[in-house]
Amino acid sequence: MIPLSIPHLAGNEWKYVKDCIDTGWISSAGAYVTQFEQMVADYAGTRYGIAAVNGTLGLHLCMHLHGIGQGDAVLVPNITFIASANAVAYTKADPIFIDVDPNTWQIDLNLLEQFLVEQCEQKTAGCYLKATGQAIKAIMPVHVLGNMCDMERLLNLANEYHLLVVEDSTEALGSYWKGKHAGGFGKMGVFSFNGNKIISTGGGGVIVTDDEALAKRAKHLSTQSKVDPLRYFHDEIGFNYRLVNVLAAIGVAQMEQLNTFIAHKKRIDAHYREQLDGVGDIRFQKVEAAVDANCWLFTFSTSQREELLQYLIQQKIVSRPFWTPMNQLPMFQQNLYITQADYSNQVHADSLSIPSSVNLTEAQQAQVIAHIQAFFEQRPNQ
Ligand SMILES: *Cc1c(COP(=O)(O)O)cnc(C)c1O
């Protein structure tokens, strides 16, 4: 079986974990947490990093600490992993879904602009939906597959309409837009270290920001809003969202290898693009010239997605269809969905992710490519 995207633990992971166990520092205090936070922040070119138990709850914390709650709305792309929308929903705010660009699969900025101009109004330092008066507090761009949209245009629109920007950068560690790292564009950004991400701590996340006050508050809220370490005094309702030291230790070891991992991912991506170009009706995700993507998970489109998926499963090649669009999920069907042509549905129906692990061998990749070529050769007329 050739896996899709699995962790690669080839560095100091064992050494640092052993250190935690030998010293007894396995839990929520310990030097690896601080070191990991700083390593991720430095990598992303931001000042502060706040570790969290996972990316989903990191995003939730960002929403919560900006006071987003019941009655508010947050703009989220319609093609994303469920966690982005859930992070908004946990606060009782309503995600408003924006359709995606059919080529880049990122939030469609033309559509966003049109929506803001036609359906929203700015009042003093706020943005409101004309139809209902609902306050739109924030926008959460998602760097889908480590690709990015035109961040300057997005920030300008957000600025003009007084929208807070929190980046779902969970897939974009190692991705840059015009030389600036993902996660550093908005007020806050969040990375994930789930098992399938470019580096992994098993589960984990880091929130990044340049804002000292926000960083302090995020840390405070993530540690049960404890004020006095001795007397159990807590000054507001907080959360237990900390990442434990033993997982941060793995994170430190993984960060040490990140540049090598990205180089591997880029090689895998380039080779797939070269070998699959012109095969059947395969179309690649478009990456604009301004973007230096981390090439986390190779994904392409074909009108025969379903048949190809079944075929690859039979060949023991793990492949995955793309996420079901948010507007099609039962709990979000009543939410506002801004679209003209429902490109989300097309991207969802046609896209397939194929094996892209850091440790994918050349022989394995050749096998994946050969099977995909064979599949399309058997179906020349479709
Ligand atoms: C992985 C991911 C998350 C959530 O991260 P976890 O660490 O798994 O909670 C959020 N959004 C997107 C787009 C993701 O891919």
Side-chain angles (χ1 to χ4, degrees):
M1 193 192 68
I2 304 180
L4 188 69
S5 181
I6 54 167
H8 186 54
L9 306 163
N12 289 318
E13 290 85 359
W14 180 242
K15 186 176 153 197
Y16 298 160
V17 167
K18 186 172 184 304
D19 180 39
C20 293
I21 292 169
D22 287 345
T23 58
W25 288 95
I26 58 169
S27 193
S28 46
Y32 287 112
V33 174
T34 323
Q35 195 184 341
F36 183 49
E37 289 174 332
Q38 201 52 53
M39 278 176 106
V40 175
D42 287 347
Y43 199 91
T46 52
R47 289 176 67 193
Y48 306 97
I50 305 94
V53 70
N54 56 48
T56 308
L57 294 180
L59 287 167
H60 171 236
L61 202 62
C62 293
M63 293 288 109
H64 175 85
L65 68 70
H66 283 99
I68 289 165
Q70 185 124 35
D72 299 332
V74 175
L75 306 178
V76 178
N78 195 43
I79 286 279
T80 184
F81 178 58
I82 187 69
S84 324
N86 278 348
V88 174
Y90 295 160
T91 70
K92 303 264 194 297
D94 301 313
I96 291 178
F97 300 110
I98 312 283
D99 201 2
V100 298
D101 179 287
N103 301 310
T104 64
W105 313 343
Q106 313 295 303
I107 191 165
D108 181 339
L109 295 179
N110 291 327
L111 192 64
L112 172 69
E113 178 163 6
Q114 195 188 347
F115 165 71
L116 290 170
V117 170
E118 291 175 4
Q119 297 189 49
C120 302
E121 58 185 341
Q122 303 173 59
K123 291 184 201 158
T124 40
C127 176
Y128 299 84
L129 204 57
K130 275 186 199 161
T132 61
Q134 185 174 35
I136 303 173
K137 290 280 178 71
I139 180 165
M140 186 188 288
V142 181
H143 308 307
V144 175
L145 297 167
N147 194 1
M148 296 173 80
C149 68
D150 180 341
M151 290 307 290
E152 191 179 330
R153 187 168 170 207
L154 183 131
L155 291 182
N156 285 340
L157 284 170
N159 224 8
E160 193 181 332
Y161 284 85
H162 315 292
L163 298 173
L164 165 80
V165 179
V166 172
E167 293 173 71
D168 180 338
S169 312
T170 48
E171 302 183 353
L173 190 65
S175 293
Y176 298 81
W177 189 84
K178 291 197 174 168
K180 187 176 162 75
H181 196 284
F185 290 89
K187 267 277 172 211
M188 304 184 105
V190 179
F191 297 102
S192 163
F193 308 103
N194 186 39
N196 60 359
K197 298 299 200 286
I198 197 155
I199 63 164
S200 179
T201 57
V206 167
I207 302 167
V208 292
T209 183
D210 282 327
D211 187 313
E212 188 181 0
L214 287 179
K216 281 193 172 145
R217 210 162 124 62
K219 192 77 193 170
H220 184 61
L221 281 164
S222 73
T223 51
Q224 301 280 28
S225 305
K226 185 166 64 186
V227 176
D228 181 334
L230 184 63
R231 283 167 224 289
Y232 295 103
F233 187 81
H234 309 262
D235 63 353
E236 64 181 304
I237 295 173
F239 305 89
N240 183 7
Y241 281 2
R242 291 169 298 193
L243 185 70
V244 295
N245 202 44
V246 71
L247 296 182
I250 299 175
V252 169
Q254 289 270 289
M255 280 304 291
E256 291 171 351
Q257 302 163 83
L258 177 56
N259 284 334
T260 324
F261 286 13
I262 292 169
H264 277 273
K265 293 272 189 188
K266 286 186 173 173
R267 249 202 320 273
I268 292 169
D269 182 278
H271 193 56
Y272 273 139
R273 282 182 188 258
E274 194 186 288
Q275 297 295 312
L276 296 177
D277 192 22
V279 174
D281 65 346
I282 285 180
R283 280 164 291 124
F284 301 126
Q285 183 191 28
K286 185 177 179 195
V287 179
E288 302 286 354
V291 181
D292 177 7
N294 65 1
C295 302
W296 164 57
L297 183 64
F298 194 78
T299 306
F300 61 85
S301 293
T302 164
S303 60
Q304 298 178 65
R305 196 281 306 276
E306 206 46 43
E307 296 86 344
L308 179 57
L309 174 67
Q310 294 307 326
Y311 178 82
L312 291 176
I313 290 171
Q314 276 166 23
Q315 312 301 326
K316 297 195 166 35
I317 293 169
V318 181
S319 309
R320 286 273 185 284
F322 220 28
W323 308 300
T324 303
M326 296 301 106
N327 74 302
Q328 296 183 21
L329 300 175
M331 59 286 198
F332 294 128
Q333 267 167 13
Q334 303 305 315
N335 288 49
L336 201 53
Y337 170 36
I338 308 304
T339 183
Q340 275 164 354
D342 197 12
Y343 289 123
S344 297
N345 189 52
Q346 184 200 320
V347 171
H348 156 64
D350 290 354
S351 302
L352 188 69
S353 304
I354 56 175
S356 313
S357 301
V358 165
N359 50 14
L360 183 76
T361 64
E362 281 178 25
Q364 285 175 321
Q365 191 175 12
Q367 211 179 319
V368 175
I369 291 163
H371 280 303
I372 294 172
Q373 287 167 340
F375 169 84
F376 282 105
E377 275 160 23
Q378 287 164 19
R379 291 173 160 69
N381 302 320
Q382 286 175 21

